[in-house]
Amino acid sequence: MLNFDNAEILEFINSEIPTYQRELLKKSLAGNIDSIDYYEQIGRELSGETNRDNLLLITGRTINKSSFYEKVKDEVYKFICTEVKGYKTERDFIGKNFKELVTIISTAIASTFSLGVGVIVGIITNILIAIAKVGKNAWCELQKENIKLTE
């Protein structure tokens, strides 16, 4: 399910991802790094939770400390690593190419948050790149431990 070559992923990024997110996703794809922290930082930049340019000043206190990126990642974990019934139908439609995989997962998870797919497609793409680079089993184990820590 997660065996895609870089050329296929790059083609998807260039054709389907909003222009302003492409640079970060190409950085994610080009990194031959097996540290999940590298991909986490890129995911937080894609979600707007960190600002890589440091141009904005935080002028108010944080009201809600929950991370949108973490919530999306938790849903990807449920989709990819578990047999949660909520995503059973979508899992059955998973195709053989990267575009189908991202589209199905993004659509399923976007509906969970009542969002448009465009809001999370870059984040989902980065997470799937991380899974491909780190390995599905390793990524799932790391997420399982992170979910236990936050429960």
Side-chain angles (χ1 to χ4, degrees):
M1 177 161 86
L2 295 170
N3 296 323
F4 302 101
D5 64 11
N6 285 358
E8 180 181 4
I9 297 171
L10 183 59
E11 181 182 327
F12 174 78
I13 290 169
N14 286 329
S15 64
E16 304 296 328
I17 297 295
T19 306
Y20 67 94
Q21 293 182 342
R22 288 181 189 162
E23 178 187 330
L24 282 171
L25 289 170
K26 288 178 183 178
K27 177 181 171 184
S28 177
L29 181 62
N32 284 324
I33 298 170
D34 61 0
S35 168
I36 197 71
D37 294 335
Y38 177 78
Y39 304 100
E40 296 283 313
Q41 179 61 33
I42 292 172
R44 291 187 193 294
E45 288 179 37
L46 287 166
S47 69
E49 293 176 28
T50 60
N51 181 9
R52 65 185 165 155
D53 297 329
N54 297 319
L55 295 175
L56 298 175
L57 298 174
I58 299 174
T59 58
R61 68 183 184 92
T62 303
I63 296 171
N64 184 354
K65 293 195 180 218
S66 65
S67 165
F68 177 66
Y69 175 72
E70 290 297 323
K71 291 181 185 301
V72 172
K73 195 169 61 164
D74 290 349
E75 292 301 314
V76 173
Y77 169 80
K78 290 177 190 174
F79 194 105
I80 298 283
C81 306
T82 72
E83 295 297 321
V84 169
K85 290 181 183 177
Y87 293 124
K88 182 184 180 334
T89 302
E90 290 86 354
R91 259 190 235 102
D92 292 342
F93 286 110
I94 292 296
K96 301 254 187 253
N97 68 53
F98 191 77
K99 180 178 179 177
E100 287 179 13
L101 179 66
V102 173
T103 302
I104 290 169
I105 292 174
S106 297
T107 303
I109 292 174
S111 67
T112 300
F113 293 112
S114 299
L115 296 171
V117 172
V119 175
I120 65 168
V121 70
I123 298 169
I124 301 293
T125 301
N126 181 64
I127 293 170
L128 292 176
I129 290 169
I131 293 170
K133 299 282 185 170
V134 174
K136 178 186 171 201
N137 292 339
W139 189 87
C140 290
E141 282 302 312
L142 286 169
Q143 298 319 307
K144 184 174 15 174
E145 294 194 16
N146 289 339
I147 288 173
K148 285 180 185 175
L149 293 174
T150 59
E151 288 179 343

